[in-house]
Amino acid sequence: MGAGIFIGIINGFFGGGGGMICVPALILLGLSNKQAQATAILIMLPISIASAIVYYSSGFVDWNSVLFVSIGSVIGGIVGAYLLKKLSNNVLQYVFALVVVAAGVRMLF
Amino acid sequence: MLWYYLSLAGLFGGLVGGMGMGGGTLLIPILTMFLGVDQHLAQAINLLVFIPTGIIAVIIHAKNKLIDYKVFGIIIFPAMATAVGAALLVGKLESDLLKILFGVFLVLIGIFQLYQAIKASIDRKKKITRPVLKHNLYPPRNKDF
């Protein structure tokens, strides 16, 4: 329940990132890696829909942008899932972590 | 031309997300830093973009029986309540302040990811070396011995 409270706060407040907390939390609760990733998506789905409704009612939705980003995202998602099968080490995980830190620092200044 | 850049940002976010890393965590700063999208709007875009992809992924995972519905049932209600509360609160915040808070969140999540990557590397090395050592030090014995 504690995990749920925390995941909801993060995803509602920042509009994302909940999955990155949800997956390790579910693994800690005893789920396998694949189960944790699958269950995390089912958890994130209603949370994202509920948060999106609140954002929409507060006037923060630009449908044109949503449409174009979605088109790119679906294509990228398919290519990414295909590439994942071909990856043999976690170099990308390191690159991702460093890019996220760099983006965070950049946003602070 | 903006539609072109927005699709490109989505493509990049989707690519990272498809590889199992937080696509949205990267999509939001791309939208705000490179395309000048307002922080609140970027967060709303990320939430909405996740919905169609999430539905497809859930259907596939449910077919593969990978979803733990018991854990889902425990977590979903408190998560829904706090998500709505946090989303209502965020609407009252200034965009610049939200951007700074998001930056802090990114730094923390990046450090956490780095820790997980290092841990995964160590686990991988152990998996490779353990069977070799076992074989050399403890040759298989006869069960009747």
Side-chain angles (χ1 to χ4, degrees), chain A residues 17 60 69 77 83 109:
Chain A
F60 294 126
V69 175
L83 284 177
F109 302 105

Side-chain angles (χ1 to χ4, degrees), chain A residues 4-5 8 13-15 20 26 35 38-39 46-47 55 60 68 72-73 76-77 80-81 84 88 90 94 100 106-108, chain B residues 3 7 10-11 14-15 18-19 25 33 39-41 43-44 46 66 68 71 79 82-83 90 93 100 106 117-118 121 124:
Chain A
I5 292 169
F13 199 83
F14 293 122
M20 294 179 75
L26 293 180
Q35 275 181 322
T39 310
I47 297 176
Y55 275 70
F60 294 126
F68 293 128
S73 183
L84 184 66
S88 57
N90 62 342
Y94 281 101
V100 169
R106 175 76 178 74
M107 284 183 95
L108 289 175
Chain B
W3 69 269
S7 301
L11 187 80
L15 198 69
M19 288 193 284
T25 315
M33 286 196 299
Q39 182 70 26
H40 287 92
L41 287 180
Q43 294 188 185
N46 185 48
L66 279 170
D68 189 323
V71 171
T82 50
V90 96
L93 278 186
I100 290 170
L106 279 186
I118 293 166
S121 295
R124 205 177 286 248

